[in-house]
Amino acid sequence: MNPRRPSPPGRPPEADGRPRRARRPWLGSLRTRLVVTFVLVTLTGSATATVLAYREARTAILKRAQDSFQDNLHDRVTTIAPDVDLPPTGRGLTELAERVSQSLAGAPLVISRYRELEGTSDGLADRSRITPELREAVRTRSAMSFQRVTLDDIPYLVVGTPVTFGDDGRASGLEIYAVTSLRPEEDDTAALLTAVRDGVAPVVLLSALLALLSARAVLRPVRDLGRATRKLAEGDLSIRVTAKGRDELANLAQDFNETADELQSSVTHLRDQEERARRFVADVSHELRTPLAAMTMVATVLEEDADQLPPDTAQAARTVSAETAKLSRLVDDLMEMSRFDSGAARLTPTDTDLAGAIRASLALRGWTDAVRTELPEGVRAPLDRRRLDVIIANLVGNALRHGAPPVTLTATLTVTGSTRRTAVIEVTDQGPGLSPEALAHVFDRFYKADAARTRSEGSGLGMAISLENARLHGGTIEATNAQEGGAVFTLTLPLPLSEPEAKAPTP
C-alpha cells in the first residue's frame, strides 16, 4: 500500500488517476426515485380503491332502486289486479295500466297485456324498451323478471310480471310491464365518482410530502456516509459518521466507522514503517559516503598503478575500482531518492538554452556521435540544468545499453498559451522494445526488465529518479513502443518564458 502524502513545496501534485465523480442527474437521484415510487404506489392504490368503490357503490345503488321498484310494483299489482274482469277489454287494460302507474312513485310507464290486447298508461310512449327477451321470460317463467336497457344514452329498468290467481297460482294470462328511468341513480354514482376523483389530488400531494420527509430522513445518513467516504478517499482518515438509532443505516454507519478505524491504524502503521525505511536508507547512505570516499581514493590509486602490478593483481584492482564506482553511484542515487521521498528535493532553475543543455549532456558522456539529434534552436527557459542532465543521461543511456542503434533524440516545441510552452523530448531506439510487463514497471525502483540480469552498470534507480526530476519541473515521462519496433521514452516539460523573453515587448 502506498498512502498518499502532500506534495512538497516546488513539486506539483501528482494526478491520482481517479475519474472525477460525475454528478448524478436530478431525475436519477435516489430522492426522486423514492418520491416517484411513493406517488405511483399512492396513485395505484387510490385508483384501485376508486374503481372498487365506484363499482360497489353503483351496484348497491342500482340494486336498491331495482329491489324497491320491484317490491312496489308487486304490491300494487297484487292490490289492483283482482278488480280486473277476465277476459279484459282494451279499455280495461288501459285503466289497469293507469291505476298501477299512478300508484307508483314517479308515475312510470306501465303496460298491461292480455294475449293480443295491450293497454298503456301513456299512449305516446316508446314501447321498444320492453324487449322480446323480457316478454318471453315473463311468459315462460311465471315469475317477476327485470332487464336494464339503454335508449338514447338513458338507462332504464324494465320489470315484467305475470298476474296469477291467488290460491293455486295459476296464470291468468294477464301481464304487467313497468318502465322507470335509472338516470337519478346514474347521477348519484357519477357524483360519487367525481367526489372520489377530486379527493385523489390532495391524497397524492400529501403522499408526495410524506415521501419527501421520509426520503430526507432516510437519505440524510446516506449523504453523510457518502460525504465521509469521499473524504476518506481524499486521505482524511480521521473522518467518522454518527450512528443514530438501531436500524440498518445505523449498522452501516457503525461498520464504516470500524472500517475507517482499521484503515487509519493500518495506514498509520505503514506510514511509520515507510518513514523508518526512508530514514534507514538515508542514514545508511550517509554513513557509507565517508568510507566510500576513502575506498574510492584507494581504488583510484590502485587503478592508476595497475600497469605496474602483476596481471592478476592489476585485474583485481580494476575490478575493485569499477565496483567501488558503482557502489558510490548507488549511494548517491539512494540519497537522491530519500530527498524526493522526504520532500527535500528543490529545483534550482536558471536561464537555460534547451538544445545547448542537451548537447552538453551528450558530449559529457561521449555520446555525441552515437545519438542522432533533432533540436530546435534558440529555445530558452528557466530549468534546473543539473536535473535536466540527469534525465537526458538516464533516457539516452538506457536506450544505448538496452536498445539497438540508431538512437534518436528529437525535441519539439508546442505553444500552450501566451506565457506557457511545452517541450516534448523523445528518445527512440531500434531494439526489440519493451514487454507489456516492463512498460508497466519501467519506472519502478530497482526494476529490471530481464530478471536473469542480476548485475548491470546502473543502480536500478535511474528511471525512477528521472521521473521524479520531470515531476519537479511539472512534467512527466511516458514509455511506449513504436509501431515499427523499438522503445520510445517521451519527456514532456512545461517551459515558462525566460526572463529576457518575458520582458520583451509583444509585437
Side-chain angles (χ1 to χ4, degrees):
M1 187 175 195
N2 185 18
R4 297 175 61 196
R5 57 180 179 273
S7 299
R11 181 178 181 181
E14 299 179 14
D16 56 11
R18 295 197 306 267
R20 297 181 66 86
R21 188 175 64 92
R23 292 183 61 87
R24 294 180 61 84
W26 182 82
L27 292 178
S29 65
L30 183 58
R31 178 196 296 270
T32 303
R33 294 202 297 270
L34 284 175
V35 173
V36 170
T37 301
F38 210 101
V39 171
L40 287 178
V41 170
T42 303
L43 280 175
T44 303
S46 300
T48 303
T50 299
V51 171
L52 293 177
Y54 173 75
R55 186 181 67 180
E56 294 298 326
R58 183 175 183 274
T59 301
I61 292 174
L62 292 179
K63 189 175 186 306
R64 183 181 61 186
Q66 172 184 301
D67 292 344
S68 176
F69 186 74
Q70 289 185 90
D71 291 342
N72 291 335
L73 178 62
H74 179 269
D75 294 340
R76 298 302 179 268
V77 171
T78 302
T79 302
I80 298 174
D83 298 336
V84 178
D85 296 331
L86 294 177
T89 61
R91 182 173 181 80
L93 292 176
T94 299
E95 292 177 354
L96 173 61
E98 291 176 348
R99 291 178 60 190
V100 172
S101 175
Q102 293 172 1
S103 64
L104 293 174
L109 171 65
V110 176
I111 299 174
S112 58
R113 180 183 176 87
Y114 184 81
R115 296 179 182 176
E116 301 300 329
L117 295 177
E118 284 187 356
T120 177
S121 61
D122 185 357
L124 301 178
D126 185 1
R127 304 182 186 182
S128 62
R129 288 169 287 187
I130 305 174
T131 63
E133 291 82 3
L134 180 61
R135 294 179 185 272
E136 183 64 22
V138 172
R139 187 178 302 113
T140 57
R141 292 175 57 187
S142 299
M144 182 175 288
S145 301
F146 73 92
Q147 187 178 33
R148 287 195 290 267
V149 298
T150 302
L151 182 66
D152 296 333
D153 295 329
I154 301 176
Y156 293 96
L157 174 65
V158 183
V159 180
T161 180
V163 179
T164 59
F165 294 106
D167 296 332
D168 52 11
R170 288 181 296 106
S172 63
L174 182 62
E175 301 170 358
I176 304 297
Y177 297 92
V179 181
T180 184
S181 174
L182 293 176
R183 174 59 66 84
E185 286 73 17
E186 287 291 336
D187 293 341
D188 291 342
T189 55
L192 176 62
L193 178 62
T194 300
V196 173
R197 186 176 61 244
D198 293 342
V200 170
V203 170
V204 171
L205 292 177
L206 180 60
S207 68
L209 178 61
L210 292 176
L212 285 173
L213 295 177
S214 301
R216 181 181 180 183
V218 172
L219 294 181
R220 181 181 298 170
V222 175
R223 287 196 300 269
D224 294 341
L225 189 60
R227 190 181 302 111
T229 302
R230 289 191 293 273
K231 287 185 175 295
L232 188 66
E234 292 170 358
D236 185 2
L237 301 181
S238 63
I239 189 68
R240 299 293 185 272
V241 294
T242 303
K244 299 179 180 179
R246 299 182 179 178
D247 55 8
E248 290 80 359
L249 290 175
N251 294 335
L252 181 60
Q254 185 64 32
D255 292 341
F256 173 84
N257 291 337
E258 293 176 358
T259 302
D261 290 338
E262 293 295 330
L263 181 60
Q264 185 177 24
S265 177
S266 300
V267 171
T268 301
H269 179 66
L270 288 175
R271 285 176 175 173
D272 291 341
Q273 287 186 326
E274 184 181 11
E275 180 61 28
R276 286 195 296 269
R278 285 200 301 265
R279 190 164 54 248
F280 173 76
V281 171
D283 292 343
V284 169
S285 301
H286 181 75
E287 293 298 327
L288 286 175
R289 297 190 73 174
T290 300
L292 271 177
M295 291 174 60
T296 302
M297 288 188 294
V298 173
T300 301
V301 172
L302 290 176
E303 186 177 14
E304 291 177 351
D305 296 338
D307 293 338
Q308 303 175 8
L309 298 175
D312 293 340
T313 305
Q315 180 62 31
R318 294 188 181 95
T319 301
V320 169
S321 178
E323 293 301 323
T324 302
K326 289 182 181 179
L327 183 58
S328 180
R329 287 196 298 270
L330 174 60
V331 170
D332 291 340
D333 289 345
L334 287 174
M335 291 293 294
E336 184 73 1
M337 289 304 302
S338 68
R339 283 191 287 270
F340 284 123
D341 292 338
S342 63
R346 296 290 185 273
L347 282 177
T348 307
T350 58
D351 187 50
T352 304
D353 178 73
L354 182 63
I358 294 175
R359 291 192 183 98
S361 179
L362 298 178
L364 180 64
R365 293 161 180 83
W367 294 341
T368 302
D369 296 333
V371 179
R372 295 190 308 185
T373 59
E374 297 178 10
L375 305 175
E377 300 295 338
V379 177
R380 306 188 67 85
L383 298 171
D384 189 323
R385 186 158 182 162
R386 183 185 68 83
R387 297 188 184 277
L388 178 62
D389 175 74
V390 171
I391 297 174
I392 298 300
N394 282 319
L395 295 183
V396 176
N398 184 74
L400 292 173
R401 285 193 301 272
H402 305 297
V407 174
T408 303
L409 188 153
T410 61
T412 57
L413 189 66
T414 303
V415 178
T416 57
S418 59
T419 60
R420 302 289 295 182
R421 299 166 298 174
T422 301
V424 179
I425 301 171
E426 287 189 354
V427 178
T428 61
D429 62 66
Q430 301 302 316
L434 297 171
S435 65
E437 180 183 1
L439 284 174
H441 301 284
V442 68
F443 295 106
D444 292 351
R445 301 176 186 183
F446 299 108
Y447 177 76
K448 296 182 184 295
D450 185 1
R453 181 170 48 86
T454 58
R455 299 287 294 168
S456 64
E457 297 181 7
S459 63
L461 295 172
M463 301 306 293
I465 291 175
S466 297
L467 180 59
E468 295 295 338
N469 281 321
R471 287 172 174 171
L472 273 180
H473 284 87
T476 186
I477 303 177
E478 295 180 354
T480 58
N481 286 322
Q483 293 182 352
E484 62 274 9
V488 179
F489 286 87
T490 304
L491 167 65
T492 303
L493 289 178
L495 299 180
L497 294 176
S498 60
E499 292 185 5
E501 292 174 319
K503 295 178 179 179
T506 303

